Amino acid sequence: MNKMTENSNIKYDILIVGAGFAGSVTSLILNNLGFKVCLIEKGKHPRFAIGESSTPVADLIIRNLATKYNLPWLYEFSRYGTWQKTHPEVVCGIKRGFSYYKQYPGKAFTTDEEHINELLVAASSDDVQSDTNWLRADFDAFLVDKVKEYGIDYFDQTEIVSAERNADWQFQVNQFNENIILNASFFIDATGSSKLLNQLMEIDSSSEEFLTNSFSIFSHFNQVPKWLEILQEENISTDDYPYNPDNSALHQILDEGWIWMLRFNDNRLSFGFVLDDTNEFYKNLPTEKIWNDLLDKYPSVKRIIKDCELSTVPGKIVRSERLQRKLKQSYGEGWVALPHTIGFVDPLFSSGIAHSLAGIEKIIDIISKDWENKTLLDLDLKEYQNAVFEELKITDNLVAGCYKTMPYFGLFNAWSMLYFAATIAHEQRRIKKEIPGYFLNADDKAIREMVQTSYADLLKIIENKQPTEDDIKSFAELIRERIKPYNIAGLLDPSSKNMYRHTVAKIE
Ligand SMILES: Cc1cc2nc3c(=O)[nH]c(=O)nc-3n(C[C@H](O)[C@H](O)[C@H](O)COP(=O)(O)OP(=O)(O)OC[C@H]3O[C@@H](n4cnc5c(N)ncnc54)[C@H](O)[C@@H]3O)c2cc1C
């Protein structure tokens, strides 16, 4: 704990509020660029945080930020192998790719030789080169220790009460029931929620524009049986799997939503349901009832989790509100918000960490370039807002299509390839060192149109009717044709039998 009183006369260049990984990384970079930075956190590290699975794009951005802004130790967190070599004490897990298993009501998991109910998409070639599941409590605490080590002013258990802007910001800040004044030229909201901006500037956030309507119930558990062992006990062949599914972002697809299972090295598992609530079915149901009813409905899911104990932290099942939210405004004179403050869609496809990092990359670039030029700063922040809004929109479209297809795994499989095509296109841009543009290539009109047109085509075959086998087959063919310009990985090639080894991003 750092007491603040003596700092009240200091004028900071930049005040960053919220010490999640995004706030800390932003502080460290701006400090290295020579700005006088202050970081404020209302809680205290280590603390529980959800949102743990990284992706190749996240790794690429971490490497870029670490190299460009002289944070060599950050680079090591971009791959499982180097993370383990340098910081094994910061708990993480191996994430070799994205795995999906379709669960049907009342039935134990079954599949066939064609892997009709499985989809495994590799994102790395081996464990050493693998992405990671971040135990956020550990990783975020590590970053805050780095913030302190670099001599950045950091105050926890501290909240902003009010803000006034004349030539600069004057913040009234509360720490241990004492009110202190902090001065800063610029303010970055890294709180991961719209609440602070609403409190300080009455900026609203809304769910109105989203197609997706989901919420989540989740926790961490200990000693959860391995999914691979359950498959083997059921004599389900895993011989041609590209990797061990327990070392991946493992998803169980239900009719009404999905489950994430992210494993850490210390045998802890992050487990959560994300449920479609378009019809407000769950609105008034108690969390425990939802949880137990779903376990009773899906026997293989029950087998995984029924005897597991909750981890001490958070020690309970947490229930979110509706996940979709978007701020009406995400920058202004002397301030900007990071992507997770601006909005969120859904954790399907684990885009949150990469999206936050992509936003940090843009904001740092803008601030370092335009600091002395208010007109340019305003123009570039406007473009940043446009980018984040478009990125949320394409993510929403992709995720909403997934929810529509969850009862029909063949359709889900085909639809999800639009996401993989968009992310591969974006990865390629970064690997070729082109200007990265928008996350998921949301600035590429052809990609946006491909997703929108495909969504309209999807609705035609599922609205008010069950799709037939022929509908599903023709839709898969349609998507295969549409993703052709981006499909360097053989996606939807029938000979792959839903096992994709060649989607691996070659990151040097
Ligand atoms: C259910 C769920 C599952 C997810 N799963 C994934 C996933 O698998 N992969 C992925 O990439 N992303 C996932 N995400 C998204 C991911 O959580 C976010 O992208 C990520 O947490 C953003 O990090 P952050 O540092 O911006 O915000 P946060 O981690 O939310 O950190 C914000 C910090 O600000 C502090 N704070 C808040 N208000 C104030 C205040 N007024 N004053 C001072 N401090 C304040 C908080 O205490 C916190 O420490 C998921 C999100 C949800 C909701």
Side-chain angles (χ1 to χ4, degrees), residues 17-24 40-45 47 49-55 136 140 158-160 189-193 195-196 199 216 218 258 260 262 274 320 323 338-341 344 346-356:
V17 185
F21 81 88
S24 291
I40 281 183
E41 164 62 42
K42 77 168 179 193
K44 196 172 160 231
H45 286 280
R47 55 93 175 92
I50 202 69
E52 300 125 327
S53 136
S54 80
T55 59
R136 291 283 307 282
D140 291 9
T158 303
E159 286 199 62
I160 298 197
D189 188 330
T191 58
S193 141
K195 286 188 189 124
L196 183 63
Q199 174 204 324
S216 179
F218 57 84
W258 60 283
W260 79 73
L262 305 176
V274 194
S320 77
L323 291 167
L338 292 190
H340 198 58
T341 301
F344 187 61
D346 187 283
L348 195 67
F349 300 129
S350 312
S351 52
I353 290 175
H355 194 208
S356 291

Side-chain angles (χ1 to χ4, degrees), residues 151-364:
I152 298 167
D153 284 345
Y154 170 69
F155 303 103
D156 62 10
Q157 301 163 80
T158 303
E159 286 199 62
I160 298 197
V161 181
S162 64
E164 211 183 294
R165 185 167 172 86
N166 297 310
D168 285 316
W169 287 105
Q170 209 174 55
F171 293 97
Q172 196 183 347
V173 174
N174 187 287
Q175 192 192 39
F176 312 119
N177 294 324
E178 234 182 278
N179 278 344
I180 301 137
I181 300 292
L182 272 187
N183 299 295
S185 301
F186 199 82
F187 152 58
I188 299 180
D189 188 330
T191 58
S193 141
S194 59
K195 286 188 189 124
L196 183 63
L197 285 173
N198 187 272
Q199 174 204 324
L200 299 181
M201 299 183 224
E202 293 180 4
I203 295 172
D204 287 333
S205 171
S206 139
S207 308
E208 275 161 25
E209 287 171 27
F210 290 91
L211 299 165
T212 312
N213 186 340
S214 63
F215 74 104
S216 179
I217 44 180
F218 57 84
S219 196
H220 280 181
F221 292 86
N222 297 332
Q223 309 297 342
V224 182
K226 301 262 168 69
W227 178 238
L228 186 67
E229 285 163 16
I230 293 178
L231 294 175
Q232 285 166 349
E233 278 163 28
E234 294 303 313
N235 291 321
I236 291 171
S237 170
T238 58
D239 292 349
D240 56 353
Y241 274 17
Y243 52 77
N244 175 347
D246 289 294
N247 293 339
S248 73
L250 179 46
H251 304 73
Q252 307 290 347
I253 304 297
L254 316 176
D255 283 0
E256 54 279 87
W258 60 283
I259 296 168
W260 79 73
M261 293 167 59
L262 305 176
R263 204 167 273 275
F264 302 104
N265 285 346
D266 64 354
N267 241 334
R268 212 184 306 214
L269 185 91
S270 176
F271 179 103
F273 290 98
V274 194
L275 301 168
D276 181 10
D277 206 17
T278 313
N279 300 323
E280 299 196 339
F281 174 76
Y282 299 101
K283 200 172 174 187
N284 298 316
L285 289 181
T287 306
E288 202 182 334
K289 178 166 170 54
I290 301 173
W291 188 275
N292 290 333
D293 285 356
L294 286 166
L295 295 194
D296 287 342
K297 188 167 175 185
Y298 295 100
S300 292
V301 175
K302 189 170 189 170
R303 182 165 167 191
I304 300 167
I305 206 78
K306 70 175 181 357
D307 295 325
C308 302
E309 61 175 30
L310 284 164
S311 301
T312 331
V313 182
K316 60 178 182 187
I317 309 277
V318 181
R319 180 175 185 162
S320 77
E321 298 172 339
R322 181 173 175 186
L323 291 167
Q324 297 70 44
R325 57 179 171 80
K326 189 184 114 182
L327 279 176
K328 298 264 188 265
Q329 187 192 339
S330 54
Y331 77 100
E333 202 190 324
W335 70 274
V336 68
L338 292 190
H340 198 58
T341 301
I342 300 176
F344 187 61
V345 181
D346 187 283
L348 195 67
F349 300 129
S350 312
S351 52
I353 290 175
H355 194 208
S356 291
L357 289 164
I360 294 172
E361 201 179 36
K362 285 196 183 80
I363 288 175
I364 299 288

